[in-house]
Amino acid sequence: MRSFEQKVFPYLLLAPTLIIFGLFLFFPAVNGLWISLTKWDGVNPQKFIGIENYVKLMSDRGFWESFFQTILFTAISVPLVYASALGLAMLLTGERKGNDFFRAVFYWPTMISSIIVGLTWRFLLGEDFGVINYLLTAAGRSPVKWLTNPNYAMGVVIFVTAWSMSGYYMVMFVSGIKAISETYYEAARIDGAGGLAQFRYITLPLLKPTSLLVIVLSTVTIIKTYPLVYALTQGGPAGATKFMVQSIQETGFQKNQMGYASAMTMILFVLLALFTVLQFQINKGGEQDAD
């Protein structure tokens, strides 16, 4: 009986989760890899073509433009989301009056559909009928082409993304900060450490697990961003804010090249996997140095 409890029963408990994981994650991933090796329009029978889709990708200028734009977008957005979320958490952690209200205010955008967020900011930033340009015109200024000028569009998308996501990760940081024992800060104050020193040598190191979680989750979310950007700019102007997920969607569902779109998806999957592994390795290395 003890042998059954130790060797078999744990797997029985894990079975429902493993079945769900296999059906909805593992099988679609393997199937996507297979489709990437075929020529398929989504309707007619698949035709196996090996790595032709990947060879074609190597010279696909449009795909690589969206790839590098995704990297740029992610490289700027993730630190901005991290810094704004941590900053808000530092300001709104504690028992000061009004903290609960402001935490709710900053968390509120995360509860709105990303499409609604995009459309709302499109209404605010529209060139001809946008509220902000109306106010600028009323103040005697020229309207700004926020969404139709490539020099502004990427910045707008990054700002709106950070605005819509920071509140969610703020909650994680608030929980992490509250979990830090007050005795560390008391000892630091006795030793004469100021607020900046306490933040640098106590708060940041002890928030490392939370920071890793925030960076990984926000990176995955931002790389996969599609509805918000599409509602805001439709990938324009002239493809300036067209990212990988939009390229995949257009290739698969507008051009009916499901096999080619699946090959793009595999590149995206590898990018996400490499980044996640890199982050965990960096975190592991930092822990070993600390030891």
Side-chain angles (χ1 to χ4, degrees):
M1 186 63 181
R2 179 174 293 275
S3 178
F4 173 81
E5 292 179 351
Q6 293 178 344
K7 297 181 178 181
V8 180
F9 188 64
Y11 292 100
L12 293 178
L13 295 177
L14 289 172
T17 301
L18 294 175
I19 291 172
I20 294 173
F21 180 85
L23 288 175
F24 295 101
L25 291 175
F26 182 74
F27 174 75
V30 173
N31 189 50
L33 178 61
W34 162 253
I35 294 174
S36 73
L37 302 175
T38 67
K39 183 178 182 180
W40 186 41
D41 60 4
V43 178
N44 296 308
Q46 299 172 353
K47 179 183 177 182
F48 180 77
I49 59 173
I51 63 172
E52 285 186 23
N53 285 326
Y54 294 95
V55 174
K56 182 180 177 181
L57 268 179
M58 295 301 101
S59 58
D60 188 336
R61 181 178 177 181
F63 170 75
W64 289 109
E65 285 180 355
S66 67
F67 177 88
F68 288 113
Q69 284 170 181
T70 302
I71 297 297
L72 175 64
F73 171 57
T74 304
I76 299 175
S77 297
V78 171
L80 183 59
V81 169
Y82 177 91
S84 56
L86 180 57
L88 289 172
M90 293 297 296
L91 288 173
L92 301 176
T93 300
E95 303 301 327
R96 291 188 298 270
K97 188 176 181 180
N99 276 1
D100 291 340
F101 170 77
F102 285 108
R103 280 201 295 263
V105 168
F106 286 112
Y107 183 78
W108 171 73
T110 68
M111 302 173 64
I112 307 173
S113 165
S114 56
I115 295 176
I116 300 302
V117 171
L119 291 175
T120 300
W121 280 97
R122 186 176 181 83
F123 170 74
L124 292 172
L125 297 170
E127 182 178 348
D128 298 321
F129 303 102
V131 174
I132 293 177
N133 274 338
Y134 171 80
L135 295 174
L136 288 174
T137 303
R141 301 293 186 90
S142 299
V144 178
K145 298 180 179 180
W146 301 106
L147 304 176
T148 56
N149 186 328
N151 295 324
Y152 294 119
M154 179 66 82
V156 168
V157 169
I158 291 171
F159 168 77
V160 174
T161 299
W163 178 86
S164 65
M165 294 176 59
S166 296
Y168 179 79
Y169 298 108
M170 173 198 70
V171 173
M172 294 185 182
F173 278 125
V174 168
S175 299
I177 293 170
K178 287 186 175 181
I180 299 174
S181 174
E182 183 62 25
T183 56
Y184 292 110
Y185 296 104
E186 292 176 356
R189 285 192 289 269
I190 292 173
D191 290 338
L196 184 60
Q198 293 176 37
F199 175 75
R200 180 179 178 183
Y201 295 107
I202 297 176
T203 306
L204 274 183
L206 294 179
L207 279 179
K208 195 170 185 179
T210 305
S211 294
L212 175 64
L213 180 63
V214 168
I215 291 173
V216 171
L217 291 180
S218 62
T219 300
V220 171
T221 301
I222 288 170
I223 288 179
K224 297 191 301 180
T225 295
Y226 172 66
L228 185 151
V229 178
Y230 190 79
L232 188 60
T233 64
Q234 287 82 50
T241 59
K242 185 177 181 179
F243 304 129
M244 288 181 66
V245 174
Q246 183 175 344
S247 293
I248 293 169
Q249 190 274 338
E250 290 178 354
T251 301
F253 296 99
Q254 295 182 19
K255 299 178 182 179
N256 296 321
Q257 299 177 5
M258 290 295 184
Y260 194 49
S262 294
M264 292 180 176
T265 304
M266 290 298 107
I267 299 297
L268 177 61
F269 171 77
V270 170
L271 175 64
L272 289 170
L274 287 175
F275 174 81
T276 303
V277 171
L278 177 63
Q279 284 297 317
F280 277 101
Q281 288 298 319
I282 292 173
N283 183 65
K284 183 178 179 181
E287 290 179 349
Q288 290 176 349
D289 292 341
D291 294 339

